[in-house]
């Protein structure tokens, strides 16, 4: 049952991202959440992660649809603590950009069960980089 609840939570996140539903996304976090996202700064904490108005403003930086996919989701549960890892895909067009982008990235999400419901306590998203002279992000990788 617990694994199914987490899978449902992650599926709801997938839908909420595509629907630009900032309220649903914010409702999934524990108050003490820590997030290492793709966008600066290096760390986001608590209210900053949950802030619905800030997430709505972020959604407004994109034109047209946002496609969001969570693939190869694996979940491990131990009591009231769980973690997952997956490959995620986001595809959209930044406002003013000549073209859109598609990006695959790695995502690890940690959960804590509170009052029978799973809440996200930690998110770590990352993009690999080429360890050559360019040091550029490897945004052209696909699973």
């Amino acid at each position: 049952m617990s694994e199914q609840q987490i899978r449902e939570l992650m599926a709801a996140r997938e839908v909420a991202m595509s629907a630009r539903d900032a309220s649903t996304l914010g409702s999934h976090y524990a108050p003490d959440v820590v997030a290492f996202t793709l966008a600066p700064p290096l760390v986001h904490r608590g209210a900053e992660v949950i802030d619905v108005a800030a997430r709505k403003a972020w959604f407004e930086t994109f034109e047209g649809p946002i496609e969001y996919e969570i693939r190869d989701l694996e979940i491990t549960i131990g009591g009231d603590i769980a973690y997952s890892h997956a490959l995620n895909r986001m595809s959209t067009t930044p406002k003013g950009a000549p073209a859109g982008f598609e990006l695959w990235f790695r995502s690890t999400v940690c959960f804590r069960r509170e009052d029978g419901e799973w809440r996200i306590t930690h998110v770590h998203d990352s993009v690999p980089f080429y360890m050559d002279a360019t040091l550029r992000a490897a945004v052209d990788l696909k699973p």
Side-chain angles (χ1 to χ4, degrees):
M1 180 61 171
S2 289
E3 181 173 339
Q4 186 58 35
Q5 289 171 329
I6 291 171
R7 287 191 180 281
E8 289 170 5
L9 184 150
M10 296 302 283
R13 293 181 64 71
E14 212 171 23
V15 170
M17 279 291 292
S18 295
R20 300 171 181 248
D21 184 349
S23 296
T24 293
L25 290 168
S27 73
H28 294 155
Y29 296 108
D32 58 345
V33 62
V34 174
F36 301 131
T37 65
L38 299 178
L42 290 173
V43 64
H44 304 271
R45 296 181 185 276
E48 177 188 4
V49 178
I50 298 168
D51 187 340
V52 172
R55 191 166 307 262
K56 284 181 180 179
W58 178 73
F59 282 140
E60 289 303 314
T61 67
F62 302 112
E63 291 186 44
I66 297 173
E67 294 178 17
Y68 193 82
E69 173 185 359
I70 298 172
R71 180 171 157 179
D72 302 332
L73 178 65
E74 294 190 30
I75 299 167
T76 300
I77 300 171
D80 289 336
I81 303 293
Y83 71 90
S84 71
H85 57 85
L87 297 175
N88 294 2
R89 182 183 68 86
M90 183 175 170
S91 178
T92 191
T93 304
K95 282 190 176 173
F101 67 86
E102 177 181 67
L103 169 69
W104 282 95
F105 60 96
R106 306 169 292 200
S107 186
T108 301
V109 180
C110 301
F111 309 86
R112 182 175 57 231
R113 187 172 20 214
E114 299 176 346
D115 300 322
E117 291 193 40
W118 290 99
R119 296 279 182 240
I120 297 171
T121 58
H122 181 81
V123 176
H124 190 130
D125 295 331
S126 66
V127 174
F129 70 95
Y130 291 104
M131 294 184 188
D132 58 15
T134 68
L135 297 178
R136 66 184 174 88
V139 296
D140 56 340
L141 298 178
K142 295 182 183 194

